[in-house]
Amino acid sequence: MMSADPELVFPAEDGLFEETFSAQNTYRVCGQKITILQNYCANLGVSASVWDSALHLCRFLEEECVDLRGKRIIELGAGTGLVGIATARLGAHVTLTDVPMALPQMERNVACNAPSTGWPSGAPAVLRLAWGRDHTLFSSSWDFVLGSDIVYLPESFPPLLDTLAHLSKDGAVVYLASPMRSELGAQDFYSRLLPQSFSVELVRRDPNTNISVYKATLR
């Protein structure tokens, strides 16, 4: 399948952040205090923000006591890097991925959240991964594939599915957190598209925010 240009699949939204500004916020997730710089500007678009789905995914991992120490984790559409940074501070070997424009912000957030005693299993790697195009350059030997608020553009679903299948073909568990916005195709993705190749289970739902966390494993 020919992949789409990531700059077209994930365009910077005109007028989303007409003024450029930065904000620094501290979050307590997975028992860790993580300080995140968010650069609100037109070229970063949706990658600038910490979205609620990221916080829900962290809360799920913490409440379910998912064992992360020593695990190999890759995060798709990592944006600010919050989820991956939190799991790396807990001892996971983490690779953060996104489109090129998001990488400098992620690199800064990794640097400013380095534990005083050093990263337990090394600092997270920050790499470009255009879904449907770059995924074959990555290993399939992961324990977990993570993503939060990455299911919102129907035209991105085919390359995302190709990427998830490649990354998890050696047995990785996929956890995806999403607002269930039917107008953006999320319900169709989880109920019809993802189950075509994966066993899918709803593992957390917050009715107040309409955010769900799904677990998927390749059949």
Side-chain angles (χ1 to χ4, degrees):
M1 178 184 297
M2 184 173 292
S3 61
D5 188 325
E7 302 300 332
L8 298 178
V9 173
F10 300 100
E13 296 187 28
D14 291 339
L16 181 60
F17 300 119
E18 294 180 352
E19 296 183 5
T20 298
F21 64 96
S22 296
Q24 185 169 290
N25 299 96
T26 299
Y27 301 86
R28 186 162 187 85
V29 293
C30 298
Q32 306 288 311
K33 287 179 67 175
I34 310 293
T35 299
I36 295 294
L37 177 66
Q38 299 169 78
N39 291 314
Y40 296 96
C41 55
N43 70 318
L44 267 181
V46 296
S47 298
S49 296
V50 172
W51 298 99
D52 287 344
S53 293
L55 302 177
H56 279 264
L57 181 55
C58 288
R59 192 171 301 133
F60 167 79
L61 295 173
E62 181 177 17
E63 291 178 353
E64 295 300 314
C65 300
V66 177
D67 183 12
L68 301 172
R69 181 166 292 276
K71 297 296 191 287
R72 299 157 298 175
I73 293 176
I74 186 167
E75 184 181 1
L76 301 180
T80 64
L82 173 68
V83 177
I85 289 169
T87 59
R89 287 178 61 112
L90 292 174
H93 301 275
V94 175
T95 297
L96 301 170
T97 70
D98 212 317
V99 294
M101 62 187 178
L103 304 187
Q105 175 178 257
M106 249 191 294
E107 289 169 343
R108 287 193 293 272
N109 284 330
V110 168
C112 75
N113 284 286
S116 58
T117 56
W119 297 95
S121 297
V126 176
L127 299 173
R128 166 200 167 110
L129 200 172
W131 304 343
R133 178 184 299 176
D134 299 331
H135 61 282
T136 57
L137 303 176
F138 287 75
S139 165
S140 298
S141 298
W142 306 96
D143 296 298
F144 298 108
V145 180
L146 305 180
S148 57
D149 218 334
I150 61 174
V151 177
Y152 62 92
L153 287 176
E155 57 265 39
S156 75
F157 294 170
L160 174 57
L161 289 166
D162 287 346
T163 300
L164 290 172
H166 171 78
L167 296 175
S168 60
K169 69 181 180 182
D170 287 352
V173 175
V174 178
Y175 286 115
L176 300 175
S178 297
M180 300 309 294
R181 298 172 293 203
S182 58
E183 71 276 11
L184 297 180
Q187 190 61 55
D188 186 55
F189 178 86
Y190 287 108
S191 64
R192 185 179 67 85
L193 297 176
L194 191 59
Q196 290 176 9
S197 301
F198 288 80
S199 297
V200 181
E201 178 186 358
L202 174 64
V203 292
R204 178 187 176 94
R205 171 161 172 72
D206 185 339
N208 295 320
T209 60
N210 198 29
I211 292 175
S212 295
V213 179
Y214 285 87
K215 175 182 178 180
T217 51
L218 191 65
R219 292 206 206 99

